[in-house]
Structures are given as structure tokens and as C-alpha cells.
């Protein structure tokens, strides 16, 4: 009899590791008792261009203590990019670690729709990207253009954050012909939500509590924060200095700076706070997440030609 364990992949930031993640791990163990859980996790910086709330090693420790078997760091060049690049890097990494299944949290929990959309895009790739480019020329961001094009092609799209990311995972599996089967588990609470159900709330809500020194965060995560964690907002003055002292041409050499973003950054660089700057520079074309990622790359001075 074959007792080979099923290797199940999770893509995560664990920012912080919390009770919702424990729920997901326990659900996996219930559904696939003979399994090992392998995690691809962001390092010091997360997908929205911000500092993780604590170190990679700390987050890894809590994951391992709560039922995960292996944790691998997702390289910076994937961890701090838009959803499709983030997903490509993470799926590639998990495939190298020979996972059989990928499990992710979903708002809709309709796995068949993820596969239908991924296969439709693959089968109509040229036409799909022509439509996307056409929409983006109208000044629409990629996520919104993607939604509109999918609705036109098959009258289906995903609009909620985890579903959008989940679709990118399934696309990466389908496009690369990886022998990985994707499954989703319905999220208990929404992404970014302040909603609390039993002892579960979103990572965003937990971070708010931690930064506000509201110790009720301890109901929702096993992690303990004795001091207020560092955050990217604390480096806004350094970011301002770099932008002010750099020419437009120098800024254009920074990875993720494109389509005249250097002019936009120069125009609004005297905004008082990080939040003010993001609010002034985001638009239909540039989402807040894209602005924040570009700000991180400016702060770290990562140039287009550099291999990270």
C-alpha cells in the first residue's frame, strides 16, 4: 500500500501569522489527513511594498509550530511585485518543492470558475492581451482592465483580493502545465475587513490593533508584540530625499518606475506624510499598491538592469 504523503502548498505572507491561518491549516489536515504542508512565504518586504510586521524567521517559527512542515522564502523580486509576477514566482517555487496540491483562501470558493477563466485566457491569449492593452491605453489600471476584459469574454470575473490572487495562482499552474491541482477554502472574514467572527479577523485589522498598542490583538494571533514594529512609513523622509536629489532620468532607471511615474513623484514629493503621498499619486492608472511598490524600489535604489 502506498503511504506517500500528499504535498500541499500554501502561498502566504503571514503578516502576522494569525488564527485564520491556523483555521486554514486545520481545514487542510481535516480534508487531507495524510499530508505535508509546504509554504512559500514573503521575506522582509510584502506584496504591497511594505515592511512585514516581523522577521521571516519569526513568522516561519509560528507556522512550523502550528502544523506547517516546510517554509521557504519567496525571493524579493517576486514577493514585492504585482499579483501575476508574485503568483508566478510562488507557484514556480512550490513546483520545485514537488507539491501535489495548492490550497488558497477564496471569497467566492468557486474553483471551477478559476479554471474556466485561466483556460479561457490561455486559449485566447493574443486577443486577451490586445483587449487589456486597449483598456490600459484609456488610463485604466491592469486589475480593472482584467475585470472588464474577462466580463466581455466569458461574462465572469473576480473582483475581491484573494480571488484575484487565486486566479493568478491557477493561471500560473495552467500556463506552465504544472502537475498541481488547485483547491480553495472559503475565507471566514474578508480581506482588509474589520469584521470579527469568533476569534478570527483579518491581518489588516490585527496590524491596526498592534500599531495602536491595542492588546486585544492577542485574541486573534498567537504572536506577541512587546514593542511597536517598524513600518515603511517611518522611511518617508529618506524616500523624499532620494526623489528630491535625483533627476527625472535617474528616477526612470529605478525598477517599477514607468509611464511618467517619475514626473508624478517629483510633482507630489513635498506631501507631508507617506499616506498623503500615496493618496495624491494613486489614480485609475496607478493603484495604491503599485505606487507603494514603486516607492519601495526607489527607497532601496533597485535599478532596472540589476539582478536582485
Amino acid at each position: 500500500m502506498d503511504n506517500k504523503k500528499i504535498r500541499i502548498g500554501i502561498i502566504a505572507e503571514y503578516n502576522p501569522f494569525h488564527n485564520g491561518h491556523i483555521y486554514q491549516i486545520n481545514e487542510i489536515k481535516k480534508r487531507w489527513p495524510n499530508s505535508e504542508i509546504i509554504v512559500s512565504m514573503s521575506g522582509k518586504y510584502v506584496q504591497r511594498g511594505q515592511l512585514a510586521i516581523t522577521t521571516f524567521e519569526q513568522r516561519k517559527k509560528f507556522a512550523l509550530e502550528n502544523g506547517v512542515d516546510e517554509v521557504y522564502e519567496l525571493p524579493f523580486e517576486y514577493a514585492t511585485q504585482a499579483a501575476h509576477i508574485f503568483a508566478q514566482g510562488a507557484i514556480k517555487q512550490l513546483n520545485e518543492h514537488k507539491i501535489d496540491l495548492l490550497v488558497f483562501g477564496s471569497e467566492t470558493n468557486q474553483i471551477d470558475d478559476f479554471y474556466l477563466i485561466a483556460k479561457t485566457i490561455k486559449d485566447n491569449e493574443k486577443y486577451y492581451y490586445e483587449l487589456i492593452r486597449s483598456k490600459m491605453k484609456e488610463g485604466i489600471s491592469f486589475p480593472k482592465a482584467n475585470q472588464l476584459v474577462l466580463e466581455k469574454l466569458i461574462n465572469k470575473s473576480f473582483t475581491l483580493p484573494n480571488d484575484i490572487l487565486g486566479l493568478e495562482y491557477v493561471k500560473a499552474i495552467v500556463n506552465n502545465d504544472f502537475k498541481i491541482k488547485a483547491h480553495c477554502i472559503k475565507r471566514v472574514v474578508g480581506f482588509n475587513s474589520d469584521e470579527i467572527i469568533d476569534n478570527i479577523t483579518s491581518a489588516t485589522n490585527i496590524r491596526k490593533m498592534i500599531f495602536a498598542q491595542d492588546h486585544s490583538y492577542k485574541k486573534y494571533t498567537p504572536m506577541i508584540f512587546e514593542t511597536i514594529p517598524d513600518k515603511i512609513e517611518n522611511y518617508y523622509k529618506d524616500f523624499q530625499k532620494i526623489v528630491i536629489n535625483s533627476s527625472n532620468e535617474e528616477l526612470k532607471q529605478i525598477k517599477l518606475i514607468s509611464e511618467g511615474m517619475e514626473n508624478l513623484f517629483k510633482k507630489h514629493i513635498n506631501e507631508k506624510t507617506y499616506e498623503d503621498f500615496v493618496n495624491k499619486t494613486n489614480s485609475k492608472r496607478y493603484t495604491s499598491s503599485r505606487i507603494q511598490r514603486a516607492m519601495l524600489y526607489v527607497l532601496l535604489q533597485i535599478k532596472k538592469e540589476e539582478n536582485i
Side-chain angles (χ1 to χ4, degrees):
M1 189 173 171
D2 187 4
N3 284 322
K4 181 177 176 286
K5 285 184 179 285
I6 298 165
R7 287 176 68 78
I8 297 179
I10 295 175
I11 299 165
E13 290 183 331
Y14 291 155
N15 186 35
F17 184 84
H18 60 66
N19 295 346
H21 300 129
I22 295 171
Y23 169 81
Q24 184 192 44
I25 291 163
N26 290 339
E27 276 295 302
I28 289 170
K29 288 180 177 295
K30 257 192 257 174
R31 295 185 195 191
W32 297 279
N34 189 36
S35 63
E36 296 171 318
I37 299 175
I38 295 87
V39 174
S40 171
M41 184 175 74
S42 307
K44 183 176 180 179
Y45 300 98
V46 294
Q47 206 236 340
R48 283 172 174 75
Q50 298 185 318
L51 273 167
I53 201 160
T54 186
T55 65
F56 171 83
E57 290 302 330
Q58 267 294 300
R59 288 173 286 136
K60 174 181 175 177
K61 172 178 173 284
F62 277 87
L64 293 173
E65 284 174 358
N66 285 277
V68 164
D69 296 283
E70 301 167 27
V71 181
Y72 299 99
E73 184 171 349
L74 180 61
F76 176 92
E77 62 265 34
Y78 299 119
T80 57
Q81 286 273 17
H84 62 294
I85 301 172
F86 176 91
Q88 278 283 348
I91 292 292
K92 184 181 166 203
Q93 183 180 55
L94 288 172
N95 187 62
E96 285 166 1
H97 290 286
K98 299 184 167 34
I99 67 162
D100 303 296
L101 308 178
L102 175 81
V103 175
F104 61 90
S106 162
E107 288 93 352
T108 59
N109 205 26
Q110 299 292 323
I111 195 64
D112 290 345
D113 284 351
F114 287 96
Y115 273 101
L116 172 63
I117 293 172
K119 285 171 179 168
T120 300
I121 292 171
K122 187 178 183 182
D123 294 343
N124 300 275
E125 190 174 15
K126 192 177 173 200
Y127 181 50
Y128 166 78
Y129 283 110
E130 277 172 11
L131 291 174
I132 291 277
R133 279 191 292 273
S134 167
K135 291 287 179 196
M136 289 179 75
K137 277 179 186 167
E138 296 170 23
I140 296 170
S141 69
F142 176 82
K144 184 65 180 172
N146 188 48
Q147 180 196 335
L148 294 171
V149 169
L150 288 174
E151 284 170 357
K152 177 183 171 78
L153 284 175
I154 49 174
N155 202 29
K156 280 183 188 291
S157 69
F158 290 118
T159 58
L160 296 167
N162 285 275
D163 281 347
I164 290 168
L165 205 44
L167 175 60
E168 294 301 335
Y169 300 154
V170 177
K171 278 169 61 182
I173 292 167
V174 168
N175 291 341
N176 290 290
D177 294 318
F178 288 149
K179 292 177 173 27
I180 298 169
K181 181 72 178 160
H183 294 265
C184 49
I185 292 175
K186 190 162 177 63
R187 281 182 65 96
V188 175
V189 296
F191 175 87
N192 264 356
S193 170
D194 291 340
E195 185 182 13
I196 294 169
I197 295 176
D198 297 328
N199 66 343
I200 293 176
T201 191
S202 69
T204 304
N205 201 25
I206 296 168
R207 287 195 300 274
K208 274 187 206 165
M209 294 177 199
I210 292 164
F211 286 118
Q213 293 184 287
D214 172 357
H215 291 284
S216 59
Y217 80 82
K218 293 175 184 176
K219 297 176 196 170
Y220 312 109
T221 170
M223 301 189 88
I224 300 293
F225 294 86
E226 302 289 356
T227 57
I228 298 174
D230 197 7
K231 54 181 178 175
I232 204 76
E233 288 85 340
N234 297 337
Y235 299 89
Y236 179 60
K237 286 197 187 311
D238 297 324
F239 168 78
Q240 283 181 301
K241 202 176 291 181
I242 292 167
V243 173
I244 289 165
N245 294 328
S246 301
S247 68
N248 284 38
E249 276 306 310
E250 285 169 330
L251 285 177
K252 274 167 78 173
Q253 300 311 309
I254 300 288
K255 198 168 180 172
L256 303 194
I257 297 287
S258 62
E259 300 170 345
M261 200 182 270
E262 69 281 1
N263 301 318
L264 191 65
F265 278 22
K266 282 281 193 184
K267 181 180 176 183
H268 295 290
I269 198 55
N270 292 316
E271 291 297 325
K272 284 190 176 168
T273 68
Y274 178 97
E275 292 85 355
D276 290 341
F277 182 85
V278 173
N279 289 335
K280 280 286 186 184
T281 51
N282 72 16
S283 62
K284 279 199 300 183
R285 169 165 285 184
Y286 305 123
T287 63
S288 294
S289 295
R290 184 171 174 196
I291 293 289
Q292 288 170 191
R293 284 191 289 268
M295 289 173 75
L296 173 65
Y297 277 65
V298 169
L299 195 53
L300 299 179
Q301 292 284 275
I302 296 168
K303 295 195 166 59
K304 287 185 167 86
E305 71 276 7
E306 286 178 359
N307 290 318
I308 305 156

